[in-house]
Amino acid sequence: SPNVAKHLHAGHIRSTIIGEVLSELYQSVGYTSHRLNYVNDWGGVGFLLEGYDRWVDKLPKFETKNDLLYAVYKIYRRGEKVAQDEEEFNALTSAASDELTDYFGEFGSFVEFKDRFSGFKDASIEKFQKLEGGSELEFDLWKKMKEWSLEDFNRFYDLINIHHDYTLGE
């Protein structure tokens, strides 16, 4: 299933094409087929919400909003990787260190960066809890994010003439 904040990749496309072929086969022998696109990755929503709120004004302008979400995803994953591995931290170029500073704040050591990232992660968990608790602000932003991703996905699906009857997900 495709994930909000990521681009479609070979695994998503492969599954979609297999599903389309099976639907066509079933329909050709008289069965009713319903095409379903299940959007996934509820677990990463908190960091998307928090990262978007914190960084939207710092991020470059992108062609699509899904590209913006992907940028948030990449910054988070880069920070996560660096915060988990001191060797990774020590191998940072000055440009990479400056970029992490732009998004996570000033740090002078691995421990300081790890604390900065931990603060971001805690705030992300809090955002996700608010979303699950029914917070209208978080829900509205999540709904927009999902729409941005679906716009991007559907542009590709249209190119290969695949259309879904239902879009469900987390």
Side-chain angles (χ1 to χ4, degrees), residues 118-136:
S118 181
F120 174 82
K121 201 169 175 182
D122 291 345
S124 299
I125 291 167
E126 187 177 315
K127 284 266 196 221
F128 185 68
Q129 289 170 341
K130 286 179 182 178
L131 175 65
E132 283 192 314
S135 167
E136 194 171 317

Side-chain angles (χ1 to χ4, degrees), residues 48-114:
L48 281 179
L49 296 170
E50 183 63 25
Y52 180 85
D53 282 347
R54 284 187 187 202
W55 306 328
V56 68
D57 295 330
K58 296 178 182 185
L59 291 165
K61 302 301 174 216
F62 292 95
E63 188 175 324
T64 70
K65 292 282 194 168
N66 196 50
D67 289 339
L68 179 122
L69 293 179
Y70 188 60
V72 171
Y73 170 81
K74 288 191 325 186
I75 293 164
Y76 170 77
R77 289 295 182 211
R78 178 72 174 155
E80 180 180 53
K81 188 175 181 181
V82 170
Q84 291 176 351
D85 185 352
E86 192 166 4
E87 286 182 31
E88 187 77 29
F89 176 84
N90 291 331
L92 285 173
T93 64
S94 61
S97 181
D98 290 346
E99 181 183 46
L100 289 174
T101 298
D102 287 345
Y103 296 113
F104 293 102
E106 291 288 330
F107 57 88
S109 69
F110 174 68
V111 171
E112 287 175 349
F113 180 76
K114 200 171 175 177

Side-chain angles (χ1 to χ4, degrees), residues 158-170:
D158 287 346
L159 286 173
I160 59 174
N161 198 29
I162 290 179
H163 304 281
H164 298 97
D165 299 315
Y166 306 99
T167 299
L168 304 173
E170 302 170 299

